[in-house]
């Protein structure tokens, strides 16, 4: 008899996006011809930068000729891409990250879901609340949690984000082994400063823990005082792994390319306490289960690092950031307390009422779709997320409509 992994049965259906879709559908049916403005989905809206498209096309042509055709590539990713990542994203900012420490992948979602399999089932896992659901669900699948009770999985440590701590969680009271962090944050848009991040690295060094640092929104950091990478922090090379993505930076959400940095010194331990380099484990996993991203996609990602690519992605990001600032200002003018929207493409609004109630009001009265914060965890109740991934014209109109309803 073929038996299932019963941990899958503990998973809660994520009703968030299906619930949103259902309510939107009902609204559209009742109001034919009324134009909806969607500020709910965390997907980019602008096309790939021309520099990437040009490199993409050229690489496709390479595949059409025996002389330039590429078959299986290196599992870790082509050196031409890993070298540029190491140089531009890390060495240029004074960090000692080498191309050999970079693993190219098909997504930060995939990496943040896959990394947990390197670690024992009985470790203590800490996740933020509100949370990017991948961190939680992949640990449920692996059997690291108990049942779902009153909105939370037993056995997980939830690091609470609140208005009081500005959605930068405090260190846990108990000892935890694996810590998920995401800054700039999805969904709250919160950022962490050097001092704050140093406290987490020191905690991990003291407790022999490991931090999985999701920096998918790094490109949105404009405040010079904020760290762009956890590897700017002293001691982080021993206790941290960082995930980055071309998705939000360069519109690769559909094209798929990302990378993970596992420094040579990053260490985990056997049950007896013998240190083992995590790099060695991740390389083994990566080369066994994955064959990297297609050659044309890696060439397209490489073009992000050319002068034109930097200029074009810079424009994309600053456009989204201008939207975010505009949205935050408009909500604050209406008297709402907001987080994010400054070094992140999300504005997290304290809606002073139930998340779904506020969602329904914006939908029915303004025809604007947002994301109810409670969908990201218990601490998200009473908040909604507004996404800046849109054209400025749509954002302007959405804020006008919201002002008319809430003003
Ligand atoms: C969008 C996003 C990612 C990016 O995932 P890809 O798989 O690279 O597209 C990763 N983490 C968070 C928190 C995100 O919001």
């Amino acid at each position: 008899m073929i038996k299932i992994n019963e941990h899958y049965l503990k998973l809660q259906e994520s009703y968030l996006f299906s619930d949103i879709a259902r309510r939107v559908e009902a609204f559209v049916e009742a109001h034919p011809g009324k134009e909806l403005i969607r500020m709910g989905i965390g997907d980019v809206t602008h096309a790939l930068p021309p520099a990437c498209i040009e490199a993409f096309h050229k690489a496709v042509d390479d595949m059409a000729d025996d002389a330039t055709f590429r078959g299986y590539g290196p599992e870790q990713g082509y050196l031409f891409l890993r070298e540029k990542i190491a140089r531009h994203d890390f060495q240029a900012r004074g960090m000692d990250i080498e191309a050999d420490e970079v693993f190219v992948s098909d997504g930060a979602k995939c990496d943040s879901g896959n990394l947990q399999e390197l670690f024992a089932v009985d470790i203590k896992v800490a996740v933020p609340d509100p949370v990017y659901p991948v961190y939680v669900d992949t640990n449920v699948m692996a059997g690291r949690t108990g049942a779902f009770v009153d909105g939370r999985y037993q056995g997980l440590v939830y690091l609470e984000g609140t208005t009081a701590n500005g959605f930068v969680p405090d260190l846990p009271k108990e000892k935890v082994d694996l810590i998920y962090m995401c800054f700039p944050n999805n969904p709250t848009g919160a950022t962490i400063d050097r001092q704050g991040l140093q406290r987490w690295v020191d905690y991990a060094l003291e407790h022999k823990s490991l931090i999985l640092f999701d920096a998918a929104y790094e490109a949105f950091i404009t405040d010079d005082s904020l760290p762009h990478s956890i590897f700017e922090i002293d001691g982080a090379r021993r206790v941290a792994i960082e995930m980055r993505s071309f998705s939000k930076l360069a519109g690769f959400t559909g094209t798929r390319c990302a990378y993970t940095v596992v420094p040579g010194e990053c260490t985990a331990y056997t049950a007896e306490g013998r240190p083992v380099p995590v790099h060695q484990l991740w390389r083994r996993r990566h080369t066994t289960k994955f064959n990297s991203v297609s050659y044309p996609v890696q060439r397209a990602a490489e073009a992000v690092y050319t002068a034109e690519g930097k200029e074009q992605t810079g424009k994309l990001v600053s456009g989204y950031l201008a939207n975010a600032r505009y949205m935050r200002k408009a909500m604050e003018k209406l008297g709402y307390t907001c987080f994010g929207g400054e070094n992140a493409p999300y504005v997290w609004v304290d809606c002073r009422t139930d998340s779904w109630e506020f969602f329904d009001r914006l939908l029915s009265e303004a025809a604007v779709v947002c994301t109810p914060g409670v969908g990201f965890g218990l601490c998200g109740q009473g908040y909604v997320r507004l996404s800046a991934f849109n054209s400025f014209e749509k954002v302007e109109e959405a804020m006008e409509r919201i002002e008319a309803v809430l003003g």
Side-chain angles (χ1 to χ4, degrees):
M1 178 176 74
I2 176 70
K3 291 190 196 163
I4 65 159
N5 172 356
E6 293 198 18
H7 299 304
Y8 273 66
L9 301 181
K10 294 178 199 159
L11 289 167
Q12 298 303 297
E13 246 353 284
S14 172
Y15 294 116
L16 179 62
F17 289 101
S18 56
D19 264 11
I20 292 175
R22 196 169 42 75
R23 290 178 199 220
V24 168
E25 207 175 300
F27 175 84
V28 170
E29 228 161 77
H31 305 83
K34 180 91 195 159
E35 195 221 348
L36 270 182
I37 301 181
R38 294 175 195 271
M39 306 185 104
I41 310 263
D43 193 359
V44 297
T45 51
H46 293 303
L48 293 180
C52 297
I53 288 297
E54 201 181 308
F56 210 169
H57 276 300
K58 187 171 171 299
V60 169
D61 286 340
D62 286 347
M63 299 301 262
D65 185 340
D66 287 351
T68 49
F69 165 80
R70 311 266 183 143
Y72 289 122
E75 288 100 337
Q76 202 174 331
Y78 283 103
L79 191 59
F80 63 74
L81 178 56
R82 287 187 289 115
E83 268 178 345
K84 293 206 178 62
I85 289 169
R87 180 151 21 104
H88 292 268
D89 289 345
F90 298 96
Q91 292 161 9
R93 289 187 180 276
M95 290 170 268
D96 55 345
I97 296 296
E98 300 298 328
D100 177 54
E101 297 173 315
V102 175
F103 294 81
V104 175
S105 80
D106 59 346
K109 176 184 185 178
C110 322
D111 287 345
S112 63
N114 289 329
L115 276 156
Q116 51 73 31
E117 76 172 66
L118 305 186
F119 309 110
V121 175
D122 61 356
I123 56 168
K124 200 79 173 163
V125 178
V127 293
D129 179 0
V131 67
Y132 180 60
V134 179
Y135 314 153
V136 173
D137 288 359
T138 52
N139 277 289
V140 174
M141 292 168 177
R144 287 196 190 86
T145 74
F148 191 76
V149 180
D150 296 335
R152 285 185 168 174
Y153 288 99
Q154 294 183 318
L156 284 184
V157 173
Y158 288 84
L159 306 168
E160 299 197 339
T162 61
T163 288
N165 62 24
F167 292 92
V168 181
D170 305 318
L171 294 174
K173 301 275 183 294
E174 63 267 75
K175 187 180 165 328
V176 297
D177 306 304
L178 184 61
I179 301 159
Y180 288 83
M181 295 181 90
C182 175
F183 290 107
N185 188 265
N186 178 11
T188 67
T191 53
I192 192 164
D193 61 17
R194 286 201 164 76
Q195 240 182 347
L197 197 49
Q198 184 73 61
R199 274 196 289 278
W200 283 92
V201 169
D202 291 344
Y203 173 96
L205 287 164
E206 183 188 340
H207 295 97
K208 293 185 172 165
S209 324
L210 188 84
I211 299 171
L212 294 186
F213 192 76
D214 185 342
Y217 295 95
E218 176 274 339
F220 293 84
I221 295 174
T222 53
D223 178 342
D224 289 336
S225 72
L226 295 172
H228 283 250
S229 163
I230 196 168
F231 301 120
E232 289 182 35
I233 306 301
D234 285 341
R237 283 182 55 91
R238 274 185 285 156
V239 292
I241 291 174
E242 180 164 307
M243 293 151 292
R244 295 252 191 123
S245 175
F246 295 96
S247 283
K248 315 296 165 34
L249 160 69
F252 274 59
T253 51
T255 306
R256 312 303 299 148
C257 196
Y259 66 86
T260 285
V261 177
V262 188
E265 295 101 290
C266 181
T267 305
Y269 302 85
T270 65
E272 289 75 39
R274 183 170 64 82
V276 177
V278 178
H279 186 274
Q280 175 189 312
L281 302 178
W282 185 242
R283 183 198 296 266
R284 193 70 174 86
R285 193 262 171 213
H286 212 68
T287 54
T288 301
K289 294 196 180 182
F290 188 59
N291 226 103
S292 203
V293 181
S294 77
Y295 170 72
V297 168
Q298 292 191 60
R299 282 294 188 199
E302 182 192 23
V304 164
Y305 298 102
T306 60
E308 305 78 57
K310 283 184 181 181
E311 198 209 318
Q312 292 159 7
T313 53
K315 274 203 184 125
L316 276 180
V317 166
S318 58
Y320 291 135
L321 278 172
N323 292 349
R325 268 193 307 275
Y326 185 89
M327 288 152 53
R328 176 169 174 158
K329 239 193 217 142
M331 292 310 290
E332 282 177 339
K333 213 170 107 200
L334 292 167
Y336 290 90
T337 302
C338 297
F339 298 86
E342 273 162 357
N343 297 279
Y346 300 117
V347 181
W348 184 248
V349 183
D350 180 348
C351 54
R352 303 189 302 242
T353 177
D354 177 82
S355 294
W356 279 111
E357 206 175 292
F358 195 79
F359 170 92
D360 282 333
R361 181 141 188 238
L362 287 196
L363 176 61
S364 62
E365 296 177 34
V368 170
V369 184
C370 64
T371 315
V374 70
F376 300 101
L378 288 184
C379 290
Q381 177 57 281
Y383 299 85
V384 295
R385 185 190 75 176
L386 296 176
S387 161
F389 292 125
N390 224 323
S391 68
F392 187 66
E393 295 69 50
K394 285 256 174 75
V395 167
E396 255 184 329
E397 179 171 352
M399 299 328 287
E400 245 169 57
R401 290 189 196 173
I402 290 174
E403 270 165 34
V405 169
L406 303 175

